[in-house]
Amino acid sequence: MQHISTPVQEPPGAATGGDGPARPPGSQPRTDPAPLLPDARPYRVLGTDAAAGADPALLLRLYAGLVSGRRFNTQATALTRQGRLAVYPSSTGQEACEVAAALVLREQDWLFPSYRDSLAAVARGLDPVEVLTLLRGDWHTGYDPYEYRVAPLSTPLATQLPHAVGLAHAARLKGDDVVALALVGDGGTSEGDFHEALNFAAVWQAPVVFLVQNNGFAISVPLAKQSAAPSLAHKAVGYGMPGRLVDGNDAAAVHAVLADAMALARSGGGPTLVEAVTYRMEAHTNADDATRYRDSAEVEAWRAHDPVLLLERELTGRGLLDEDGIGKTAEAAEAMAARLRERMNADPVLDPMELFAHVYAERTTQLDEQAAQLRAELDAAAEQGAGAGQGERSAQHTAPGQDRTTDQGAGEAR
């Protein structure tokens, strides 16, 4: 079969260099991508001249958040090993991103977290037990999103991003002073939802900021096998929004870059894509064996760039923090962990009928039918259990000798 090539259609006059008709106004592309391009290297504050201009009070708040966040991560991981949580995706090593994201928000702003961002929700002011309710398997979410302006922790990858854009666009149409901050991992940038969210956000100039926590791996897949772009921040240019690259372990730098992006969005300047280069110190979850796909030497190398130590070194070097301050901060974090441990060790009282709560604003006929069916099954099971209990009591009354023999054998077995 002969292959016939079709030439690319050119505007009239383009092939000869002549003057053709101008493009329709709505199709005019951006001609200068330079202002959208990220810096070649991640932006840093700690250990640079920029640190001298950082607000000491903000640095101390960030430090307290990092120490408390690290302890929250270790306690939640321990609760998982004890069976109190079904799963926990630790953000150890990424605390700078999590805490900075929470502190940069105003009260009216919204946070859209991923499944790994429980610490960001806690730093935003949510009850830690309510945040962990999803990961315990009790509810789809354990808190009221409208009360705290924190969307439910998103287990499906990147689905929270279009939601953030929709909320931000609606707020803009209503004239509300609201900015949405959406968190996602490097793996989430390979999802279609990521593309759709960024494309709509840029076209609509929605007041939303996307924070990509590039922790090196999408479970076991390294970034180099996901994207050939110079950085994930470079992807912003293709959508027509600024891209920023920041050291994700430098809490002061992450806060500064996010604050700039939030201010741009709030002023009507549209969305920004921020890539924070960080590292996942723990396994993907407690069900993952990270030693199968990365070397321990790589993990140890990143420990030297620990976000807690980086900020502690800056604060002590400037005389803003001493051993007493370090100790008090650690004590406060330990007290938080103790309260969390005590409350999580109490078994929750669950009602199966709560399956039908908060599904629809007005419950449908089908949901009513399902609820009635479950109610009948629960009542039947309760009656059966009561009957079985009565039968056991009758057997104990009519055959006490047999019961004593059984008890004696059980005692010998113990």
Coordinates of all heavy atoms in Angstrom, one line a residue, residues 10-21:
E10 N -1.1 25.2 6.7 CA -0.5 26.4 7.1 C -1.5 27.5 6.9 O -2.3 27.5 6.0 CB 0.8 26.7 6.3 CG 1.9 25.7 6.5 CD 2.7 25.9 7.7 OE1 2.4 26.9 8.5 OE2 3.7 25.2 7.9
P11 N -1.4 28.6 7.7 CA -2.2 29.8 7.5 C -1.8 30.4 6.1 O -0.7 30.2 5.6 CB -1.8 30.8 8.6 CG -1.2 29.9 9.6 CD -0.5 28.8 8.9
P12 N -2.7 31.0 5.4 CA -2.4 31.6 4.1 C -1.3 32.6 4.2 O -1.2 33.4 5.1 CB -3.7 32.4 3.8 CG -4.8 31.7 4.5 CD -4.1 31.2 5.8
G13 N -0.3 32.4 3.3 CA 0.8 33.3 3.2 C 2.0 32.8 4.1 O 3.1 33.3 4.0
A14 N 1.8 31.8 4.9 CA 2.8 31.4 5.8 C 4.0 30.7 5.1 O 5.1 30.9 5.4 CB 2.3 30.4 6.9
A15 N 3.6 29.9 4.0 CA 4.7 29.1 3.3 C 5.6 30.1 2.6 O 6.8 29.8 2.4 CB 4.0 28.1 2.4
T16 N 5.1 31.2 2.1 CA 5.9 32.1 1.2 C 6.5 33.2 2.1 O 7.2 34.1 1.5 CB 5.1 32.6 0.1 OG1 4.0 33.3 0.6 CG2 4.6 31.5 -0.8
G17 N 6.1 33.3 3.3 CA 6.6 34.4 4.1 C 5.7 35.6 4.0 O 6.0 36.6 4.6
G18 N 4.6 35.5 3.2 CA 3.8 36.7 3.0 C 2.9 36.9 4.2 O 2.8 36.1 5.2
D19 N 2.2 38.0 4.2 CA 1.3 38.4 5.3 C 0.0 37.8 5.1 O -0.7 38.1 4.2 CB 1.2 39.9 5.4 CG 2.5 40.6 5.8 OD1 3.3 39.9 6.5 OD2 2.7 41.7 5.4
G20 N -0.4 36.9 6.0 CA -1.7 36.2 6.0 C -2.6 36.9 7.0 O -2.2 37.8 7.7
P21 N -3.8 36.4 7.1 CA -4.7 37.0 8.1 C -4.2 36.6 9.5 O -3.6 35.6 9.7 CB -6.0 36.3 7.7 CG -5.7 35.0 7.0 CD -4.4 35.4 6.2

